[in-house]
Amino acid sequence: MKTELLQRLVTARAEKRPVALVTDLGSGMQTLVGQDVAHGGFGLDREELAEVQKYLREDRSGIVEIGDSRLFIHSYNPPLRVIIIGAVHIAQALAPMASLAGYDVVVVDPRRAFATDARFPGITMNGEWPDDALKELVIDSRTAIVTLTHDPKLDDPALHVALRSPAFYVGSLGSRKTHGKRVDRLREAGYSESEISRIHAPVGLAIDAVSPAEIALAIMAQITQVLRREPSSSAAAA
Amino acid sequence: MTYENNIPEIAAALRAEGKRVALATVVSTWGSSPRPVGSQLVVDETGAMQGSVSGGCIEGAVVHQALETMKDGEPRVLSFGVADETAWEVGLACGGKVQVYVEAVE
């Protein structure tokens, strides 16, 4: 490997950008593929690039044989994270569920009565105001953000940051009516339709969930679906 | 794979100190190999290593090849069969195989 390419890899990791290092096992030539740019010794055709992006999205590494070449795709992804706004009852179920699914979890709530270690054993708590907390946590493209407080004072500042972040998922608890009012407020605050349309609301897959744990399950299922599906289908599903 | 180690960072730091460095990466596994694809080992010119590509059974051979790679600059793909005894301990009686790509950082 060229030292310069190694340096690019280290920089991408420090900035939490997902990248794949592609090595031609025959020639030893290497290319670093990011979300939209590639650097290195050889070019990849469209089919190869699509395969690399698929590996990166699925967080897989391995050898692919395309034409005459054997390529080793090494995915370097930042860790998956779920940031939950609101240390509420649903969060008590969602936090351990997300943790089991392999996510780093942070629960944000400035209200001391809610955000106690006793209610969230083993979960990282953040007592800052949601917009400050999200800025401090540096949202990347492997982060999901879920607002659960029902309270515009807390949910809206979080959405203001989330909608202009690279987060792969933004979801907000609330009925259609609640969400309608939320959309009005966001428009007033200057958010575009395409930014607002990033919000999954009502939050979670439609599985007729009733209890807090069931709602958490619906949310976790939706986060999984958004993470794993092909990007081409995202426009249709949104 | 997620950040399970900091081998690229260690390799970059060693290079910055002016050391010669080689990287070994698990590129394929078959059966019950001890470390998953993407696991890495970094070796410096003295043969000192950090990280792992197995539970310890092939590291010696990999370090030897890494030193060779630093000399001739030629990357290589090494293939190992994990000894049946070891594989039995990790729960598979038929043994495992692992391929490791070794390259110099230059």
Side-chain angles (χ1 to χ4, degrees):
Chain A
M1 189 192 293
K2 298 260 191 298
T3 303
E4 187 249 338
L5 199 63
L6 176 65
Q7 205 50 57
R8 281 186 191 279
L9 169 64
V10 168
T11 303
R13 279 161 61 92
E15 292 171 0
K16 295 195 167 188
R17 279 185 285 117
V19 288
L21 179 67
V22 183
T23 304
D24 184 324
L25 293 178
S27 67
M29 287 204 286
Q30 289 171 316
T31 292
L32 193 67
V33 179
Q35 267 158 331
D36 35 38
V37 286
H39 291 283
F42 66 102
L44 297 166
D45 64 28
R46 193 185 298 181
E47 186 194 355
E48 291 166 336
L49 206 54
E51 196 64 18
V52 172
Q53 300 288 11
K54 185 162 175 272
Y55 265 64
L56 200 50
R57 198 169 57 249
E58 293 173 356
D59 196 27
R60 281 199 293 146
S61 297
I63 296 172
V64 292
E65 299 191 12
I66 298 175
D68 293 334
S69 48
R70 277 181 90 220
L71 304 178
F72 174 61
I73 301 170
H74 195 169
S75 294
Y76 291 94
N77 272 313
L80 287 164
R81 267 191 312 180
V82 176
I83 301 176
I84 302 168
I85 313 299
V88 298
H89 203 166
I90 295 169
Q92 283 180 277
L94 182 57
M97 240 178 237
S99 180
L100 270 178
Y103 290 74
D104 288 346
V105 181
V106 182
V107 175
V108 177
D109 201 322
R111 301 169 297 181
R112 290 207 177 156
F114 287 82
T116 63
D117 289 336
R119 297 178 74 227
F120 292 89
I123 300 289
T124 305
M125 306 300 290
N126 184 310
E128 300 290 316
W129 209 255
D131 48 350
D132 293 334
L134 290 184
K135 282 176 200 156
E136 180 188 306
L137 290 166
V138 187
I139 310 307
D140 59 53
S141 62
R142 302 255 298 163
T143 304
I145 300 166
V146 186
T147 71
L148 296 177
T149 72
H150 266 131
D151 182 345
K153 276 203 313 295
L154 293 166
D155 282 356
D156 285 13
L159 289 171
H160 288 178
V161 178
L163 294 182
R164 289 183 178 161
S165 78
F168 75 90
Y169 176 93
V170 180
S172 284
L173 186 72
S175 65
R176 282 179 203 286
K177 200 173 144 199
T178 306
H179 187 60
K181 286 185 197 157
R182 181 187 290 138
V183 168
D184 291 342
R185 289 194 307 272
L186 288 168
R187 280 195 191 119
E188 205 145 302
Y191 286 81
S192 71
E193 293 307 311
S194 72
E195 284 169 337
I196 293 169
S197 71
R198 291 181 63 194
I199 304 172
H200 291 267
V203 74
L205 293 186
I207 56 168
D208 299 328
V210 176
S211 72
E214 287 171 357
I215 295 166
L217 189 64
I219 295 170
M220 207 54 234
Q222 189 170 48
I223 291 173
T224 308
Q225 184 185 52
V226 173
L227 175 72
R228 298 300 182 198
R229 75 183 166 200
E230 302 283 322
S232 53
S233 66
S234 62
Chain B
M1 304 296 112
T2 42
Y3 293 171
E4 54 177 320
N5 59 46
N6 52 352
I7 298 302
E9 287 71 23
I10 293 170
L14 289 168
R15 284 298 294 158
E17 288 170 24
K19 293 207 170 106
R20 296 170 75 178
V21 172
L23 279 171
T25 308
V26 175
V27 294
S28 74
T29 62
W30 181 87
S32 183
S33 60
R35 299 281 286 126
V37 170
S39 300
Q40 286 187 308
L41 181 71
V42 56
V43 183
D44 74 13
E45 60 205 16
T46 68
M49 63 170 188
Q50 296 186 68
S52 69
V53 288
S54 80
C57 27
I58 62 171
E59 268 76 2
V62 171
V63 168
H64 177 73
Q65 290 295 323
L67 292 170
E68 293 298 308
T69 298
M70 281 184 242
K71 276 183 218 151
D72 64 21
E74 290 294 319
R76 50 256 268 161
V77 178
L78 313 175
S79 296
F80 298 93
V82 176
D84 281 9
E85 247 172 83
T86 313
W88 178 257
E89 282 170 21
V90 293
L92 195 83
C94 49
K97 285 180 192 163
V98 56
Q99 279 194 318
V100 179
Y101 182 74
V102 183
E103 61 188 319
V105 181
E106 47 201 7

